[in-house]
Amino acid sequence: LSPIHRRESGTEIGVSGTIAVLQDVTEQERLDMLRREFVANVSHELRTPLTTIKSYTEALEDGALDDRAVAGRFVGVIQNETERMIRLVTDLLQLSRMDSKETALRRKKADLFELIEEVAERFAFPLRSKGIELRLNASPELGTVNVDRDQIDQVLDNVVSNAMKYTGEGGRVTLDAHRLEDGRRYAIVVSDTGIGIPKEEIGRIFERFYRVDKARSRGMGGTGLGLAIAREIVEAHGGEIAIESDLGQGTRVTFTIPAYAEGGGDK
Ligand code: ADP
C-alpha cells in the first residue's frame, strides 16, 4: 500500500475505519483500470477495420479498380469490415444502455417452446449450409416464461451463433429446454460438438472483448461482446448464465429464465 493511501485514510478513525477506506481506494482504482482497458479495447477494435478499409480503398485508387475481379474482391472486404464495425457499435450502444439502466425490460408472457422453435428455425438453414446437425430437445408443453422477448431472442442468437461459429462440418448443435425442480425457472441449454475452450480461459469468457483467439473471432465476424451482452440480459431477468467446455470436444452454455407466474408480477 502506498503512503498516499495511508494519508487519504486519515488517522483518527481507528483500524477498522482505515481498512474500509483503503478498500474504497482500491475499488476505485480497479474501476479506473477497467474503464481505461475498455476504452483501449474499443479504440483498437475500431481501428483495425478502419485500417483495413483505408488500405483497400488506397489499393483501389492505385489501380485495382481497373481489374474487375480484383476490385470486386476488395469491395467485398470493405463491405465486411464496415458491417463488422456497425455490429460493434450496435453492441456497444446496447451495453451502454444496459449499463445506464436506460432500457427497462418489457416482460410479457411467452410460450417457451415457441420461442425455442423459432430460434431453431432461424438457424436451420445456416447450420445445414455449414454441414452441422441441429437437434431440438424440448416438449411443446414446456409452459410459459416471463421475459422481454426481443432480449431473450438476442441471448439465444448470440449463444447459438457462437455454437455455429466454433463448430465444424459434421458437428452438432443441440437446443434443450426444461423446467427446473423449483418450478419457478427454466433452464435453456445450447451445446455444441465444436472446438471447445481451454479450461484456463473459461473464467474470463464473459468479459467484454475477451476472446480465446482474437484473429479467429474477427475472421468469423465476431465482436467479442456477444457473451457479455448475453450475461447482462440474463442477469437483468434475474437468471444466471454459465459455460462449460472441453477443449476439442465441445461447449455447453446454460442459462435460466423465470417461469411466468399468474399474478406474479415481475418475478
Ligand atoms: P465473439 O464475437 O468473439 O464470438 P463472444 O463474447 O460471443 O465473442 O465470445 C467470446 C469468446 O468465447 C469467443 O471469441 C470464443 O473464443 C469463445 N466462445 C464462445 N462460445 C464458444 C463456443 N460455443 N465454442 C468455442 N468457443 C466459444
Side-chain angles (χ1 to χ4, degrees):
L1 296 171
S2 74
I4 297 169
H5 292 158
R6 254 177 252 133
R7 235 179 287 133
E8 276 175 1
S9 67
T11 50
E12 307 276 299
I13 42 180
V15 174
S16 60
T18 307
I19 289 170
V21 176
L22 285 176
Q23 278 177 340
D24 271 0
V25 172
T26 348
E27 177 62 8
Q28 190 56 47
E29 272 170 4
R30 198 182 66 85
L31 289 176
D32 283 349
M33 198 193 75
L34 282 178
R35 215 183 339 261
R36 276 197 300 274
E37 212 177 278
F38 182 69
V39 172
N41 274 327
V42 172
S43 316
H44 180 76
E45 294 297 330
L46 285 170
R47 199 191 156 93
T48 309
L50 282 170
T51 311
T52 310
I53 290 169
K54 182 163 184 281
S55 57
Y56 278 81
T57 43
E58 276 167 7
L60 284 169
E61 201 178 29
D62 287 349
L65 257 185
D66 300 330
D67 183 331
R68 261 206 81 74
V70 174
R73 252 193 309 123
F74 284 13
V75 169
V77 173
I78 293 170
Q79 271 168 343
N80 276 341
E81 292 298 296
T82 316
E83 277 158 19
R84 203 159 61 79
M85 272 199 318
I86 293 172
R87 270 201 303 281
L88 180 66
V89 173
T90 309
D91 282 358
L92 284 169
L93 277 174
Q94 177 164 9
L95 276 171
S96 122
R97 270 191 231 112
M98 288 190 293
D99 283 345
S100 60
K101 309 268 185 285
E102 243 174 65
T103 39
L105 291 179
R106 279 192 288 268
R107 291 187 194 228
K108 278 204 191 101
K109 183 177 180 174
D111 185 89
L112 184 56
F113 182 75
E114 252 175 56
L115 204 150
I116 306 276
E117 203 181 27
E118 276 177 32
V119 188
E121 276 163 15
R122 278 202 294 284
F123 281 91
F125 180 70
L127 281 166
R128 202 176 326 125
S129 319
K130 255 195 98 181
I132 302 173
E133 183 197 344
L134 173 64
R135 277 198 200 159
L136 179 60
N137 284 337
S139 141
E141 272 89 52
L142 262 177
T144 49
V145 286
N146 185 25
V147 295
D148 184 321
R149 180 69 196 262
D150 290 345
Q151 302 239 18
I152 293 298
D153 272 344
Q154 192 180 353
V155 174
L156 282 161
D157 281 351
N158 291 0
V159 173
V160 178
S161 67
N162 277 346
M164 182 170 89
K165 273 193 279 186
Y166 303 107
T167 302
E169 200 181 336
R172 187 175 60 238
V173 170
T174 308
L175 287 175
D176 179 294
H178 54 271
R179 200 169 179 128
L180 290 177
E181 274 171 18
D182 65 15
R184 291 167 45 219
R185 290 173 305 158
Y186 285 94
I188 295 165
V189 187
V190 178
S191 44
D192 64 61
T193 57
I195 61 169
I197 301 167
K199 285 267 170 295
E200 62 277 14
E201 315 255 5
I202 292 224
R204 302 195 57 191
I205 218 75
F206 287 101
E207 285 176 24
R208 295 174 186 191
F209 293 119
Y210 195 83
R211 291 176 279 198
V212 174
D213 179 342
K214 275 206 190 319
R216 181 181 195 132
S217 156
R218 280 209 197 93
M220 304 266 188
T223 62
L225 296 172
L227 285 179
I229 290 178
R231 181 169 69 177
E232 295 273 348
I233 295 174
V234 169
E235 289 181 354
H237 279 83
E240 284 169 38
I241 185 165
I243 191 160
E244 299 157 85
S245 190
D246 279 318
L247 197 56
Q249 304 286 310
T251 302
R252 178 156 52 168
V253 179
T254 304
F255 66 94
T256 55
I257 45 176
Y260 183 80
E262 216 58 67
D266 220 18
K267 268 192 217 106

